[in-house]
Structure formats: structure tokens, C-alpha cells
Amino acid sequence: MPAEFQTLLVLLPVACLGSFVYGVTGFGSALITIPLASLIYPLPFVLAVFALLDIVNAVRVGLARPQAIVRDEAGRLIPGCILGVVVGTWLLAVLRTQILLCALGLFVVSFAIYSLLAPEASLRIDASWGYLAGFSGGITSAMFGAGGPPYVIYLSLRPHAKQAMRATLAATSVVSVGARIVAFALAGLLSAPAVWFTAVPLVPAILGALWLADRAHARISRAAMIQAIRLLLLVAGASLVVRSLRGL
């Protein structure tokens, strides 16, 4: 069996699972795809392939119901995200990232545990926090490839319907992942033909997974989706802490 075909067979279920989770909640694909795929393949190859697939996820979910995007929230999140990517790229060059990664992971874990235990009515924040959430997500996206948690924490504490949350997260992800792809291209990570020969054939499969996710998303309540997001945040934070400890 050719190596390229074997790679496709191995990554197919990983990519579909990540896209399904993303389609239901609006984030979380990288929490599944990157750790699993990097057990077998080099991390730079994995990051490049799934950056290309993540932009497909984000555009597909965002375009599915563009009218559901909360434009005021996107207007707060996206400018901060762009600035955060610039700052995060600079910080990546001057700071020891493992300590920051651990701190981010501990914060996300703490928030997830608190939000799972606290009464729902007490969990609300003002819209002005959106600027900080966008900026923070841009920084963590550039530094760690994990921009989702700050956006999700903010939007889950705002009074939006589940479709609005998912669409707004997707719109923000398009900017975040797009900036990451530009950075990868400048670094030469997208120049290898194997990256494109792997990512492109997987696109139809992840579109099918997103189609199934649309149906699952329509069947669950906002409360159930919020709980699922909080559990994903718990997993995300724990994975960031583990990644940081491995690098120390």
C-alpha cells in the first residue's frame, strides 16, 4: 500500500471526528486531531494539514447560516484577534512559551470546573469583555494553535442562542486560522506536496462529518451544548497543561 494512501486511511477517522465536534460546538477540532495525529506523524506536518482542514471547517460552518452571526460580537472579537495574532507572534520569539502554556491551561481548567459547578444564572459578563477575549484568542492562536478557549469562554457567558454562538465562533475562527495559515506559509510548512496531497482528499470526508454535525446540532438544546463546550474546555485546558509539562 502506498504511503500516501496509508496516511489518508489513518487520518480519515481523526479528521472526521474533529470536524464533527467542531460542527456541533463551533470549536474543539484541534483538541482531537492534533494530539491523535501527532502520535504517528511529525508535528509540523500535522499542524499544516489540519490548519488547511480547519479553515474548511470554519468557512463551512460560518457560511451555513451567515445570518446567525452576531455581528456586534464579531466586531468586538475579530479586531482584537488580528492584533493578538501579531502580538502573539512577537511573544513567541521573546518568551519561554511553556510556562505561558501551562498558565493558560490552568486558567481554562479552573474556568471549566467553576462553570460546571456554578449556577447558570450567575454566569454572565458584559459585552466589553469581547475585546479582551478576541485579543487573548489571537495571542493563544499564534503561540499555541489554541485560539478557541478565550472565544468560547466569552460567548458562552453571553445570552445568545446556540446557532448564534456557533456561527460567531466560526466567523472568528476564519480570521484566527487564516492568520495561522499565512504564518505557516511564510515559515514554509505548506510548501511540502505531501501536506496538500493529504489535506485535499480529506475535504469531502470532513464536509460529510459537518453535514452530520448540523443534524446533531439541531437536536440538542442550548443548555446541552453549553455543557458540552464546558467539558471540551476542561479537556482543552488539561491538554495544554500536559503539553507544557512535556516541554519543561
Side-chain angles (χ1 to χ4, degrees), residues 18 21-23 25-31 148-149 152 169 173 228-229 232-233 236:
V21 169
Y22 185 93
T25 65
F27 94 115
S29 61
L31 306 177
V152 173
L169 277 170
S173 294
I229 285 174
L232 273 176
L233 285 172

Side-chain angles (χ1 to χ4, degrees), residues 131-166:
Y131 299 103
L132 178 60
F135 182 66
S136 302
I139 289 177
T140 58
S141 178
M143 297 185 71
F144 315 125
Y151 312 140
V152 173
I153 288 172
Y154 170 72
L155 287 174
S156 68
L157 298 179
R158 300 286 294 148
H160 300 303
K162 61 179 183 177
Q163 293 91 347
M165 283 182 56
R166 187 178 71 150

